[in-house]
Amino acid sequence: MNLKILLVAIIAAFGAASAQDSPNCRTSCGNVSIDYPFGSGKGCYRSPEFLVTCDRSSGEDIPYFIDRTTDLVITSISINMSEVEIMMFVGRDCYNSIGPVESDRPYFTLGSLKEFRVSTKNKFVAIGCDTHAFVSGRRWNESRDIGTGCISWCGRNNHIKNGSCSGVGCCEVAVPEELSSFNMSLQSYINHADILNFNPCSYGFLVAEGKFNFSTTYLANFESERMPMLLDWAIGSVTCDEAKGTNDFLCEGNSECDKNYTGPGYRCRCRGGYDGNPYVLNNCTNINECEIGKHDCKYKCVDIEGNHTCTCPNGYSGDGTKSGTGCTAEQSTVIKIVAGISTSAIFLLIFVAWLYLLLKKRKFILLREKFFKQNGGLMLQQRISGDRGSRDQARVFTIEELKRATNNYDANRIIGKGGYGTVYKGVLADNRVVAIKKSKLADQTQAQIEQFINEVVILSQINHRNVVKLIGCCLETEIPLLVYEFIPNGTLSDHIHNESKSLAITWDTRLRIATETAEALSYLHSAASVPIIHRDVKPMNILLDDNYVAKVADFGASKLIPIDQTELATIVQGTLGYLDPEYLQTNQLTDKSDVYSFGVVLVELLTGKKALSFDRPEEERNLAIFFLYSLKEGRLFQVLDERLQLDDVPSEINQVSRLAERCLRVKGDERPSMKEVAIKLQGILASTTQNHPWVQSSSNEHEGEYFLKEPSKDYDCTDGGIVSNASSSTFDSISKLTMLPIASGR
């Protein structure tokens, strides 16, 4: 039985081969080659679908499918790619000043060509400046339409570009898979009324990829009536495995099924090492790779049936290829000597590599020493050794210590990032959690280095519960690194401007935070060994620990004020919304500049709003100005934070509001000092604690009672200041070495 099936298959394949040899079979028509399973003439083709008619009525040979009436002009047939290129009509929709004058929307169907489909290597292209183009069709044995389309619109003429088909003057879209028929639809919503002078028509067509390049001249007149379109084809409607053993199976001899094609039907290809027509028996013949140079042999190529081999010359062994082991000489005395030399060379290379790494390490050590001296390390060591009795002196860390603390500055350790640098969370060898500030590169001078060292020493000696502690620094990098105590609960800004967090910050807590911040600034102005003006007081630079205790941070913009001076001339630096208007106009920095910024912080605590926001109405953009106006108009309750859930305005809020008004006065001389502000807030906090015994006592209670005995000034809330709404400011740095403010507020 199997022998009978084999004989039938051989006879069928032989019939396919002999059909091409028949004198009735044309091998070409015009410039198109006709190879089996295609044919022109009786018995020359596999089935009627593959019949090619050669029409000579026009004086030249033109190949068509089946007969002249189908009008499917063939321009090429590819056996290896299983493709046929035909000329497909171009659809058009034309207008004049009155309206539509011509409409040609072609319909295409493969009809009886059941083994053919529209290739997905085609693109559906539309040309026009008011063109809505669509193509819809069906697959074999399906009753529902599928389709796609695109829109081409021009706008301005200078937007139209040659070669661009992205929707301006020309658009294109992929074609749905396995279409057996389709029709086109072209529409113009304004009938080209405004563009007739350069685009009277819309055009649409399917075209093979790479066979169309858009030109702007096509908008005025696209002369092509047909465009090349690809059809895919295969043999039959069953898979390769189902066709095997039948008399219809064509992949015989040195031909095999194309495993990359999944149907419908099947396709043949020549086996590796063979070339020819895989649909004709014994037409796939051996390729002589050695003769045509298609091999990888290093020395000699020997052709064999369906393949080739590489050989080595006498005295050599190996696979003989360029990409493999090649050919190596057989062992001999000379080879042993060469091997010895090679071994010596390897040892020499290892020694050179070791020496290079040693020198590189030495260079790195010298660079660290250079940076250490350049950044004032010796000066800092002298300052530290000169004050051995102090337990709070800054510690000098090494590069390795901080790398280990931050897991080599792992991105997961980043807790803050801004325009001036990055802050990492680190864990020191003694398990202390710290914040490590790594600033960006900046220029540096000897004066700045001395100022930086002086500031590090002073800040490290600041011992106030409401100031973030500077633990030390690392001077072995080009830009020194600063190490601060780690404050875990984020910034005050996070808590008053985040709706979910702000509910936990009650008025009593806000008042305590304001009091603690004022105490810290008062300490910096009045009690530090050298007075310090913070110069960037804002909620982002006030950190909170787990108990909501305030910690003033980020001294990157701070200035040290000699005791014999009351003001400094500097380039204006700060944050819009918090800048002292007097400082902004005169460039004269005083401790009253911090008072103004603190006044804005008080207003933020009262209102829950940001100091500057362009999302608010124009009259409310600057919070300080709007607050002073509301206070003057007697509308304080309307601007208070709704999340405080107040039914009226308590006395302490009135007092804090009047204090904020004093802090926000334009003239610095009319503002209270930070010491006066701290005393006033301590008194308000103490009275609040007495009025609400259920509130847990603050650690500042006794200190507040003491300050209540001090005489204090009465503050008049009627004399409201007008704060300049600056639109921009310039920024400088106290130390371009490291002390630069960044987003984290550290």
Side-chain angles (χ1 to χ4, degrees):
M1 183 64 180
N2 292 336
L3 179 60
K4 182 178 179 180
I5 293 174
L6 180 60
L7 288 174
V8 170
I10 292 174
I11 291 171
F14 179 76
S18 62
Q20 290 290 295
D21 297 332
S22 171
N24 296 326
C25 298
R26 296 176 60 95
T27 58
S28 65
C29 179
N31 296 325
V32 179
S33 297
I34 304 174
D35 297 310
Y36 195 81
F38 295 88
S40 179
K42 187 176 181 179
C44 302
Y45 46 85
R46 176 188 168 274
S47 62
E49 288 93 334
F50 292 93
L51 170 61
V52 177
T53 299
C54 194
D55 184 11
R56 300 176 180 173
S57 60
S58 61
E60 57 178 332
D61 291 352
I62 300 177
Y64 291 87
F65 267 126
I66 304 178
D67 54 47
R68 181 69 177 81
T69 59
T70 59
D71 215 13
L72 298 184
V73 180
I74 300 173
T75 52
S76 70
I77 298 174
S78 173
I79 299 300
N80 291 329
M81 299 297 294
S82 298
E83 293 173 348
V84 175
E85 184 182 274
I86 64 171
M87 297 303 292
M88 181 59 200
F89 285 104
V90 174
R92 66 185 64 232
D93 203 23
C94 297
Y95 298 81
N96 60 19
S97 58
I98 299 175
V101 294
E102 180 185 357
S103 179
D104 185 5
R105 303 172 182 180
Y107 171 76
F108 171 82
T109 179
L110 287 169
S112 61
L113 303 181
K114 299 294 186 181
E115 300 181 21
F116 290 78
R117 288 152 188 84
V118 177
S119 174
T120 54
K121 292 183 181 179
N122 297 303
K123 292 285 186 181
F124 178 52
V125 176
I127 300 173
C129 283
D130 173 30
T131 301
H132 298 248
F134 306 93
V135 59
S136 61
R138 296 183 181 181
R139 299 185 176 118
W140 291 116
N141 301 324
E142 290 188 7
S143 59
R144 298 186 65 179
D145 286 351
I146 57 175
T148 185
C150 64
I151 298 175
S152 175
W153 193 262
C154 289
R156 297 180 181 176
N157 296 353
N158 58 1
H159 291 168
I160 310 171
K161 296 181 180 179
N162 288 329
S164 173
C165 211
S166 58
V168 182
C170 174
C171 65
E172 66 178 19
V173 67
V175 176
E177 296 180 351
E178 299 184 12
L179 288 180
S180 61
S181 65
F182 63 82
N183 54 31
M184 297 181 200
S185 173
L186 298 172
Q187 296 179 2
S188 171
Y189 286 112
I190 61 172
N191 294 341
H192 290 245
D194 298 329
I195 51 180
L196 285 172
N197 58 333
F198 71 94
N199 179 224
C201 297
S202 296
Y203 305 93
F205 48 85
L206 267 70
V207 62
E209 282 185 307
K211 293 297 182 76
F212 172 73
N213 188 33
F214 174 67
S215 170
T216 56
T217 60
Y218 294 160
L219 292 171
N221 183 23
F222 185 63
E223 297 179 350
S224 300
E225 294 184 357
R226 298 177 184 238
M227 293 297 288
M229 184 182 81
L230 291 178
L231 300 177
D232 291 334
W233 56 270
I235 304 299
S237 59
V238 298
T239 65
C240 190
D241 292 336
E242 292 172 336
K244 281 182 180 178
T246 66
N247 57 4
D248 194 38
F249 189 60
L250 299 181
C251 305
E252 299 289 355
N254 294 324
S255 172
E256 62 182 2
C257 282
D258 184 355
K259 296 180 182 178
N260 294 324
Y261 178 69
T262 57
Y266 67 90
R267 293 173 179 170
C268 301
R269 68 178 181 183
C270 291
R271 298 179 186 275
Y274 293 89
D275 192 21
N277 188 336
Y279 297 97
V280 178
L281 183 64
N282 297 327
N283 194 263
C284 289
T285 57
N286 175 61
I287 300 173
N288 192 330
E289 293 90 352
C290 301
E291 190 175 284
I292 64 176
K294 192 177 179 181
H295 61 83
D296 188 36
C297 296
K298 189 173 184 180
Y299 289 101
K300 185 178 180 181
C301 174
V302 178
D303 184 64
I304 59 176
E305 185 67 19
N307 208 336
H308 67 280
T309 60
C310 300
T311 61
C312 295
N314 291 334
Y316 289 80
S317 60
D319 62 13
T321 63
K322 297 175 184 177
S323 58
T325 60
C327 296
T328 56
E330 296 175 350
Q331 284 291 339
S332 64
T333 303
V334 176
I335 298 302
K336 292 179 181 178
I337 294 174
V338 172
I341 295 174
S342 300
T343 303
S344 301
I346 291 173
F347 279 111
L348 179 62
L349 183 63
I350 293 173
F351 174 75
V352 171
W354 174 80
L355 185 62
Y356 168 77
L357 293 175
L358 187 65
L359 292 175
K360 187 176 181 181
K361 184 177 181 181
R362 174 63 179 167
K363 182 179 179 181
F364 178 67
I365 293 173
L366 292 175
L367 187 63
R368 286 172 54 177
E369 292 177 355
K370 173 189 172 184
F371 288 145
F372 185 80
K373 294 176 181 178
Q374 178 178 296
N375 293 325
L378 297 177
M379 190 187 310
L380 181 60
Q381 285 182 335
Q382 290 173 359
R383 293 288 299 271
I384 294 174
S385 62
D387 191 10
R388 292 179 181 175
S390 174
R391 298 174 55 188
D392 295 320
Q393 280 287 7
R395 176 183 168 188
V396 180
F397 293 90
T398 65
I399 290 178
E400 287 76 13
E401 285 181 296
L402 298 190
K403 279 187 176 181
R404 286 194 297 269
T406 59
N407 194 18
N408 199 20
Y409 301 104
D410 191 319
N412 293 327
R413 294 290 187 94
I414 295 176
I415 56 176
K417 183 179 290 187
Y420 297 105
T422 306
V423 179
Y424 297 83
K425 180 181 179 181
V427 181
L428 300 179
D430 59 2
N431 291 325
R432 267 194 302 172
V433 181
V434 294
I436 299 171
K437 182 176 179 181
K438 188 177 185 181
S439 299
K440 293 184 178 180
L441 292 176
D443 299 330
Q444 51 186 341
T445 64
Q446 183 61 34
Q448 289 171 335
I449 292 172
E450 293 177 2
Q451 187 177 10
F452 164 70
I453 296 303
N454 188 51
E455 186 171 4
V456 168
V457 173
I458 291 174
L459 291 179
S460 66
Q461 293 176 342
I462 291 178
N463 186 17
H464 194 280
R465 68 187 297 271
N466 299 119
V467 177
V468 173
K469 180 68 176 175
L470 176 68
I471 298 173
C473 61
C474 174
L475 305 176
E476 295 178 348
T477 56
E478 187 171 359
I479 297 298
L481 306 174
L482 295 178
V483 181
Y484 293 93
E485 67 170 314
F486 178 72
I487 309 300
N489 206 12
T491 69
L492 175 60
S493 179
D494 295 335
H495 288 272
I496 61 177
H497 298 310
N498 185 308
E499 186 172 354
S500 61
K501 293 183 178 181
S502 63
L503 295 175
I505 307 295
T506 63
W507 167 245
D508 294 324
T509 303
R510 297 187 191 200
L511 179 58
R512 179 172 54 78
I513 291 171
T515 304
E516 292 170 347
T517 304
E519 290 172 354
L521 294 174
S522 174
Y523 171 85
L524 295 175
H525 290 183
S526 309
S529 56
V530 177
I532 300 171
I533 298 178
H534 189 281
R535 205 161 55 144
D536 197 17
V537 177
K538 58 184 179 180
M540 279 291 293
N541 291 339
I542 300 172
L543 307 182
L544 302 177
D545 67 10
D546 289 330
N547 296 317
Y548 296 102
V549 173
K551 301 275 187 175
V552 177
D554 199 341
F555 292 85
S558 301
K559 279 290 185 181
L560 306 177
I561 307 297
I563 297 177
D564 58 346
Q565 287 185 243
T566 59
E567 61 183 28
L568 281 177
T570 70
I571 297 175
V572 175
Q573 179 180 354
T575 303
L576 289 177
Y578 302 91
L579 275 172
D580 173 10
E582 186 176 59
Y583 170 41
L584 188 63
Q585 294 176 4
T586 65
N587 287 4
Q588 297 297 316
L589 178 68
T590 69
D591 57 355
K592 296 297 182 69
S593 299
D594 279 354
V595 175
Y596 182 88
S597 301
F598 179 75
V600 180
V601 174
L602 282 179
V603 175
E604 284 195 61
L605 286 167
L606 287 164
T607 65
K609 295 180 174 61
K610 293 185 178 180
L612 190 66
S613 174
F614 292 96
D615 294 333
R616 298 195 293 256
E618 184 174 355
E619 65 274 9
E620 300 180 19
R621 287 178 182 173
N622 188 298
L623 181 61
I625 295 176
F626 181 63
F627 176 80
L628 292 174
Y629 174 77
S630 300
L631 194 64
K632 186 176 181 180
E633 295 296 318
R635 295 187 299 181
L636 174 61
F637 185 77
Q638 297 178 18
V639 296
L640 291 179
D641 191 350
E642 296 177 354
R643 288 166 290 194
L644 292 176
Q645 299 179 354
L646 301 173
D647 295 328
D648 55 10
V649 182
S651 171
E652 60 268 18
I653 289 184
N654 274 317
Q655 294 180 66
V656 173
S657 299
R658 290 196 299 271
L659 180 60
E661 181 271 332
R662 285 277 293 170
C663 294
L664 293 175
R665 292 193 174 180
V666 175
K667 294 182 180 180
D669 292 340
E670 297 179 2
R671 302 172 198 154
S673 66
M674 279 310 308
K675 185 174 182 180
E676 291 177 280
V677 173
I679 292 173
K680 182 66 176 178
L681 288 173
Q682 288 165 353
I684 297 171
L685 180 64
S687 64
T688 303
T689 304
Q690 292 171 358
N691 293 334
H692 304 286
W694 58 85
V695 178
Q696 193 173 13
S697 296
S698 164
S699 60
N700 296 342
E701 182 176 327
H702 299 294
E703 186 178 3
E705 291 176 355
Y706 170 81
F707 281 120
L708 280 173
K709 300 174 184 177
E710 296 284 337
S712 59
K713 297 180 180 180
D714 292 329
Y715 302 120
D716 182 10
C717 66
T718 61
D719 185 16
I722 304 299
V723 184
S724 299
N725 186 10
S727 61
S728 63
S729 67
T730 55
F731 296 87
D732 73 342
S733 169
I734 184 173
S735 172
K736 291 185 179 179
L737 289 167
T738 56
M739 305 297 285
L740 299 170
I742 63 175
S744 69
R746 290 182 174 83

